[in-house]
Amino acid sequence: KGNANKLAIRMLYEAYLNEIDVHIVSMDGGLKDNAIPRECDLVFVSSSSLEDLETCLKHTEKEIQDELAFSDAGFYAELKTIETCSQALSLKDSQDFLTMLFLLPNGFKARSMAIEGLTLTSLNFGVASTKDDLFTFTVSIRSAIESAIDDLERQILAIASLFNVKCHTEGRYPSWNFVKHSPIREALRKAVKDVLHKDLVELAAHGGCECGVFKAMYEDMDIVGVGPIAKYIHTPQECLDIASFIRVYDLLIYLISIL
């Protein structure tokens, strides 16, 4: 999926490379650190002509539309003029601003070599906000391997240090790896057969439902993840299959009874 924060930065960074004059005023995009931003507003001041700006931005917009045609169709950029602004970054600070966020890693990083199709490591530039003279950016890092989280954290800290940007880490999301021998998984296998009259299908996904948090607190805890069918997670269109919810509820009650 296209990350609106990264795409907005890309468009202005390419304008900067094309010698378009850009002074950043504000940037606001994304609502949650764990959801890919759908919209981003990037306000800037420029002494370049409106025609040059439109030509450059339209060119980059078309490139992005072609790249996302099959994975996230519907991308568009809109250039609007505003009357006035009270303050803006200097040209040098604006260039540093754009370069830093252009370099900021984002999205898919590594796939499992043991489980086909499983994403192991990714990160999301989830929130950009401006309040008075303070810019705040939030990046969420996810991986089933703790060292991969550490590596991405160091990359971000290194990039931030190059541009004298304050950076800190909080709310680490612990990893949760597959365990070959799991009594509770075998109990679930029996429950699925007895209640749903189907064979258990084991799937690995790049998400946690907070299982990793409990695993970090109790390393010997045996955990299995099971849930109803949901679609369009972390979007305004998110929905839950009610019939599936009822099936999972019945399954859970039975599973508890045989443990």
Side-chain angles (χ1 to χ4, degrees):
K1 300 294 184 181
N3 182 310
N5 290 340
K6 288 291 288 184
L7 295 176
I9 288 295
R10 171 179 166 178
M11 296 192 77
L12 276 198
Y13 184 75
E14 293 198 22
Y16 153 62
L17 292 181
N18 282 279
E19 300 183 346
I20 298 292
D21 178 44
V22 173
H23 294 260
I24 301 297
V25 175
S26 65
M27 180 177 181
D28 294 278
L31 299 175
K32 300 290 184 181
D33 60 2
N34 64 344
I36 299 173
R38 295 159 57 92
E39 300 97 12
C40 178
D41 292 323
L42 192 47
V43 181
F44 63 96
V45 176
S46 179
S47 60
S48 299
S49 71
L50 188 60
E51 182 181 359
D52 287 346
L53 269 168
E54 288 179 332
T55 299
C56 182
L57 296 178
K58 281 294 181 184
H59 173 75
T60 310
E61 179 189 37
K62 180 60 169 60
E63 289 182 334
I64 295 171
Q65 287 173 340
D66 290 344
E67 292 168 16
L68 297 178
F70 299 102
S71 63
D72 197 6
F75 168 79
Y76 72 94
E78 191 172 14
L79 181 63
K80 295 181 178 180
T81 58
I82 57 176
E83 294 298 325
T84 60
C85 70
S86 59
Q87 58 183 349
L89 294 182
S90 68
L91 185 61
K92 174 62 168 61
D93 286 344
S94 295
Q95 291 170 352
D96 285 349
F97 179 99
L98 292 172
T99 303
M100 184 193 75
L101 295 181
F102 182 76
L103 291 173
L104 189 71
N106 177 77
F108 166 81
K109 287 298 169 184
R111 182 169 287 120
S112 171
M113 304 304 290
I115 303 175
E116 185 177 356
L118 174 64
T119 297
L120 274 185
T121 306
S122 72
L123 71 167
N124 179 51
F125 178 11
V127 180
S129 64
T130 307
K131 186 175 182 180
D132 298 326
D133 60 350
L134 179 66
F135 295 99
T136 304
F137 312 111
T138 305
V139 178
S140 177
I141 304 174
R142 297 288 183 88
S143 181
I145 303 172
E146 291 291 322
S147 60
I149 295 176
D150 295 334
D151 182 56
L152 283 174
E153 179 187 353
R154 293 185 191 110
Q155 288 184 43
I156 294 171
L157 289 171
I159 291 171
S161 69
L162 291 174
F163 297 94
N164 197 30
V165 169
K166 293 180 180 179
C167 189
H168 71 277
T169 304
E170 62 181 23
R172 188 179 178 110
Y173 196 88
S175 61
W176 177 42
N177 260 326
F178 175 78
V179 178
K180 189 173 183 179
H181 176 66
S182 170
I184 195 172
R185 187 167 66 243
E186 295 310 310
L188 178 63
R189 191 184 310 279
K190 172 177 169 52
V192 169
K193 193 70 173 178
D194 293 348
V195 176
L196 304 180
H197 310 295
K198 295 181 178 180
D199 293 328
L200 177 67
V201 178
E202 300 172 31
L203 296 174
H206 188 52
C209 297
E210 283 61 62
C211 293
V213 176
F214 293 105
K215 190 70 172 177
M217 293 189 292
Y218 306 99
E219 292 184 6
D220 295 332
M221 179 181 285
D222 190 20
I223 301 177
V224 65
V226 60
I229 297 170
K231 295 182 179 180
Y232 314 117
I233 307 300
H234 302 317
T235 75
Q237 289 76 41
E238 182 171 344
C239 59
L240 176 70
D241 185 314
I242 301 301
S244 172
F245 174 83
I246 295 171
R247 290 196 300 271
V248 170
Y249 179 80
D250 292 339
L251 181 69
L252 179 62
I253 296 298
Y254 183 79
L255 176 61
I256 292 172
S257 71
I258 64 174
L259 288 174

